C-alpha cells in the first residue's frame, strides 16, 4: 500500500492531498504490468476509470477520420482518464504502451465508493481533480489560448525585464517576456500552440543546445539534465498550452524564442525543486538560451517544423494517390470523350483520366521531398548575425551533431553562417512547390466539378458522394462541396506563397525580421492543405462512381470520334463527315457507312475501345 501511495503522490491530480485521503484512493487501485504495444483503452469506448502510469511510457493518439495522430506521451506520474471521476464519459483518444509499463488502474466506482466513507476526503479529492482539469483547459494547446489566457489566474508572481516589472500568472510556465508579447501582438489570435510541430522543433533545438553546452562544460550537470527533461516533456506533447505568443509578431521571432526559454526554464526549476520564477537557479537566457540567439534558434526550428509537418502532408497525398490509382483501375473500361478547350476532342477511358490524376499527384510528392532537403542545412552557432559571438567555437558543430541525434534527421551546418542567417531562399523555393501542388490539386477539383455537373443538364459523367443538402430554396439540390472547399484552400495557399515571397524579399543586411509572417503563412498552408487532401480522399474520391451509359452515349453522339477514322479515310473526308454530322445530328458511324467510306467491320475496328484510346499501327 505504501508503494501505491508513493506513486499516487507523484501525480499532479493527487499532489497536496493528505496521507489519509491518498490511502482511500490507494485502496481502490489495482496494479498491473503490460508489455510494449498493449492497447490500454480505445477511442469511443466507455471510460471505467483512470490509469496511473507508475513506470514506462504510454502514447495517446486520436483519430479524427484520417488515421491515428499522436497527441502526447505520458510517463511516470501521469494519469489518463481522470475526468471519469467527475462524470461518466467516453474515451476521446486511444492509449498504447510504448514500452513495458507498470500501471495503477483506478476504477471509477471503486474510487467513489472508497471516498464515500469520508465526505471531507471526497470533497478534497474531487476538488483537486476539478482544479487540475480547469488549469489544463486554461492552458490547453488550442487556437483559443492567447491574451485572455494570460489573465486566467488571480494569483501572480512578479517578474522584471528591460522594460520593467509585470505580474505573471502564478500557474503559468511562461514569464514576463512572453506576457509582454501577448500584450503587444494581439494580431491573428493564432498562438504558437496551434502548431505543435513548431513547439516540438523549438524544444528539440533547446535540448540539442543544452546537451552540447553540457559536453563543453558550460552548463552544470543538474541544470543541463533538468533542461533536457523539460525539453523532452515538451517534445512528448506536454505544456504546449503555455505557448500563447501570436504567430505574427515583431522582433524576428524573439518573443517565440523567449516563450520557449521561459517555459523550459520554469519547468526545469520545478524539476530541480524550485518555484517558477526563481531564475537564479535556472535562467531563461543564461542557461536555456546559452550560446544561442533568436536568429539561429528560430529559423532552425522553423526548418525542422516544416519537415515534421511535411510528413503529414506526404502521407495524405500518398493516400490520395492510392485512391486515384484505385479509381483508375475501376474505370479502365469506361469509354468517354476527352475534351480540350471545353470542346469535344477524342475518346479516352475514365480510367486514363484518373490514372493521370494519380501520376501528377505522385510527381508533386517527389518534388516536395526533393525541395525539403534544403531545410536540413541550419545556422546554429551563428548566434546574432552569423559571426558566432557569445558561443564557444566548438559549439556549432557539436550542437548540430546533437540535433541529428535528437531529431533523427541528417542535419548539416551551413558552410557560411553569416550568409545562412538572413537567407530564406529555401522557404521561397519550398513554398513554390507547395503552391504547385495546391494549383494542380485545385485543377483536379475543377475537373471533378465539371465531370459531375448536372444531374440532368451538365456533363453527368461521374457522381460525387452526396455530402449535404445544397440549397435553402432549391429542393433536392446537392452541390460538389468537397471539391469546392479544396479549391478555396488552394487559393489561400497561392496567397500565402506571395506573402512568403514578399517576406523573404524584405530582409535587410544581416537578418530577415519578417520570418514570423513567413512561418505563419507556410505552416498555415501546409496544415490546411493536409486537411484538404485528407477530406478530398475520404469524402470524395473513394466514393466516386461512373455513369457508364451517359459516358458511352456522349461518345457515340460526338463528332470528335471521327478523328479515329481519319487515318483510314483522310482528313478531307473526315471533315465532311464531321460537318454533316453537326448539321444533321446523325451519328458519325452511320454517315461513314452511308457514304461507303468503310465497311461495318472496318468501322467496328476503328471505333473499338482499344483503337480510340491508345496508339496503334497506321499501316
Amino acid at each position: 500500500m505504501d508503494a501505491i501511495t508513493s506513486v499516487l503522490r507523484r501525480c499532479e491530480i493527487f499532489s497536496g492531498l493528505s496521507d489519509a485521503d491518498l490511502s482511500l484512493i490507494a485502496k481502490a487501485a489495482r496494479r498491473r504490468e503490460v508489455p510494449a504495444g498493449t492497447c490500454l483503452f480505445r477511442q469511443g469506448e466507455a471510460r471505467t476509470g483512470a490509469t496511473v502510469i507508475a513506470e514506462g511510457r504510454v502514447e495517446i493518439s486520436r483519430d479524427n477520420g484520417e488515421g491515428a495522430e499522436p497527441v502526447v506521451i505520458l510517463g511516470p506520474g501521469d494519469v489518463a482518464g481522470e475526468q471519469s471521476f467527475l462524470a461518466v464519459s467516453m474515451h476521446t483518444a486511444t492509449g498504447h504502451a510504448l514500452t513495458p509499463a507498470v500501471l495503477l488502474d483506478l476504477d471509477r466506482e471503486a474510487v467513489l465508493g472508497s471516498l464515500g466513507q469520508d465526505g471531507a476526503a471526497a470533497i478534497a479529492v474531487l476538488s483537486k481533480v476539478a482544479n487540475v482539469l480547469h488549469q489544463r483547459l486554461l492552458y490547453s494547446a488550442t487556437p483559443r489560448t492567447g491574451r485572455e489566457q494570460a489573465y486566467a489566474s488571480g494569483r501572480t508572481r512578479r517578474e522584471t525585464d528591460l522594460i520593467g516589472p509585470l505580474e505573471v500568472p502564478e500557474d503559468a510556465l511562461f514569464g514576463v517576456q512572453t506576457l509582454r508579447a501577448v500584450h503587444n501582438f494581439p494580431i491573428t489570435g493564432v498562438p504558437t500552440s496551434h502548431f505543435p510541430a513548431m513547439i516540438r522543433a523549438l524544444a528539440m533545438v533547446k535540448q540539442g543546445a543544452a546537451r552540447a553546452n553540457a559536453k563543453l562544460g558550460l552548463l552544470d550537470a543538474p541544470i543541463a539534465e533538468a533542461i533536457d527533461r523539460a525539453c523532452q516533456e515538451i517534445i512528448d506533447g506536454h505544456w504546449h498550452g503555455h505557448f500563447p505568443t501570436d504567430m505574427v509578431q515583431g522582433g524576428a521571432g524573439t518573443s517565440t524564442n523567449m516563450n520557449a526559454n521561459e517555459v523550459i526554464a520554469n519547468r526545469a526549476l520545478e524539476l530541480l525543486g524550485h518555484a517558477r520564477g526563481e531564475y537564479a537557479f535556472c535562467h531563461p537566457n543564461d542557461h536555456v538560451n546559452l550560446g544561442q540567439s533568436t536568429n539561429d534558434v528560430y529559423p532552425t526550428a522553423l526548418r525542422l517544423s516544416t519537415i515534421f509537418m511535411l510528413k503529414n502532408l506526404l502521407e495524405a497525398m500518398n493516400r490520395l494517390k492510392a485512391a486515384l490509382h484505385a479509381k483508375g483501375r475501376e474505370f479502365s473500361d469506361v469509354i468517354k470523350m476527352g475534351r480540350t478547350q471545353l470542346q469535344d476532342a477524342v475518346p479516352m477511358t475514365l480510367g486514363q483520366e484518373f490514372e493521370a490524376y494519380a501520376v501528377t499527384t505522385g510527381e508533386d510528392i517527389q518534388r516536395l521531398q526533393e525541395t525539403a532537403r534544403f531545410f536540413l542545412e541550419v545556422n546554429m552557432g551563428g548566434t546574432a548575425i552569423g559571426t558566432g559571438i557569445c558561443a564557444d567555437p566548438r559549439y556549432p558543430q557539436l550542437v548540430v551533431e546533437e540535433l541529428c541525434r535528437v531529431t533523427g534527421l541528417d542535419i548539416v551546418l551551413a558552410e557560411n553562417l553569416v550568409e545562412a542567417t538572413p537567407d530564406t531562399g529555401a522557404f521561397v523555393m519550398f513554398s513554390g512547390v507547395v503552391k504547385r501542388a495546391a494549383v494542380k490539386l485545385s485543377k483536379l477539383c475543377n475537373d471533378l466539378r465539371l465531370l459531375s455537373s448536372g444531374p440532368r443538364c451538365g456533363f453527368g459523367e461521374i457522381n460525387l458522394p452526396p455530402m449535404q443538402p445544397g440549397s435553402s430554396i432549391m429542393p433536392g439540390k446537392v452541390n460538389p462541396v468537397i471539391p469546392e472547399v479544396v479549391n478555396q484552400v488552394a487559393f489561400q495557399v497561392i496567397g500565402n506563397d506571395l506573402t512568403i515571397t514578399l517576406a523573404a524579399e524584405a530582409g535587410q543586411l544581416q537578418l530577415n525580421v519578417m520570418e514570423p509572417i513567413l512561418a505563419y503563412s507556410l505552416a498555415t498552408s501546409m496544415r490546411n492543405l493536409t486537411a484538404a487532401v485528407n477530406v478530398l480522399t475520404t469524402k470524395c474520391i473513394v466514393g466516386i462512381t461512373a455513369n457508364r451509359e451517359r459516358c458511352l452515349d456522349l461518345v457515340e453522339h460526338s463528332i470528335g470520334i471521327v478523328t479515329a477514322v481519319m487515318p483510314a479515310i483522310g482528313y478531307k473526308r473526315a471533315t465532311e463527315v464531321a460537318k454533316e454530322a453537326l448539321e444533321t445530328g446523325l451519328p458519325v458511324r452511320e454517315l461513314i457507312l452511308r457514304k461507303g467510306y468503310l465497311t461495318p467491320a472496318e468501322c467496328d475496328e476503328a471505333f473499338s475501345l482499344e483503337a480510340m484510346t491508345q496508339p496503334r499501327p497506321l499501316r
Side-chain angles (χ1 to χ4, degrees), residues 142-157:
T142 72
R144 292 181 294 277
T145 61
R147 186 181 182 89
E148 69 281 1
Q149 179 195 68
Y151 300 99
S153 172
R155 298 183 303 276
T156 62
R157 63 177 188 268

Side-chain angles (χ1 to χ4, degrees), residues 315-333:
E315 288 175 353
M317 292 183 70
N318 273 305
R319 287 192 291 268
L320 173 61
K321 176 185 171 184
L324 291 167
H325 273 310
K327 288 299 170 182
R329 293 189 294 270
E330 180 183 344
F331 300 148
S332 62
D333 61 342

Side-chain angles (χ1 to χ4, degrees), residues 59-255:
E59 181 181 71
I60 307 299
S61 61
R62 182 175 294 116
D63 190 340
N64 293 319
E66 287 82 39
E69 184 80 13
V71 177
V72 68
I73 296 175
L74 304 181
D78 289 325
V79 184
E82 59 269 43
Q83 54 267 58
S84 63
F85 297 142
L86 303 180
V88 176
S89 59
M90 308 294 284
H91 283 293
T92 57
T94 298
H96 282 95
L98 288 178
T99 65
V102 177
L103 310 172
L104 298 180
D105 291 324
L106 299 175
D107 180 78
R108 166 186 161 82
E109 298 303 324
V111 170
L112 295 181
S114 183
L115 291 176
Q117 302 171 25
D118 186 332
I123 292 173
V125 171
L126 297 181
S127 295
K128 180 66 176 179
V129 171
N131 183 61
V132 168
L133 293 176
H134 172 64
Q135 291 300 313
R136 289 181 186 171
L137 286 174
L138 290 178
Y139 294 100
S140 61
T142 72
R144 292 181 294 277
T145 61
R147 186 181 182 89
E148 69 281 1
Q149 179 195 68
Y151 300 99
S153 172
R155 298 183 303 276
T156 62
R157 63 177 188 268
R158 172 163 288 205
E159 293 192 13
T160 302
D161 63 3
L162 171 69
I163 305 302
L166 273 182
E167 295 296 323
V168 178
E170 185 182 70
D171 49 15
L173 283 173
F174 58 76
V176 59
Q177 293 202 44
T178 300
L179 184 57
R180 213 171 282 287
V182 170
H183 292 167
N184 291 340
F185 309 120
I187 305 300
T188 66
V190 178
T192 312
S193 58
H194 191 52
F195 298 100
M198 184 64 178
I199 297 177
R200 287 189 168 99
L202 282 164
M204 288 178 175
V205 171
K206 298 297 178 180
Q207 187 177 55
R211 292 179 179 181
N213 284 319
K215 286 185 175 180
L216 292 170
L218 303 175
L219 272 182
D220 292 341
I223 296 176
E225 182 181 346
I227 291 174
D228 196 316
R229 286 178 58 191
C231 290
Q232 189 60 51
E233 289 179 353
I234 295 170
I235 294 167
D236 288 344
H238 299 272
W239 317 119
H240 287 205
H242 293 261
F243 287 78
T245 50
D246 199 283
M247 283 293 291
V248 178
Q249 56 191 253
T254 297
S255 296

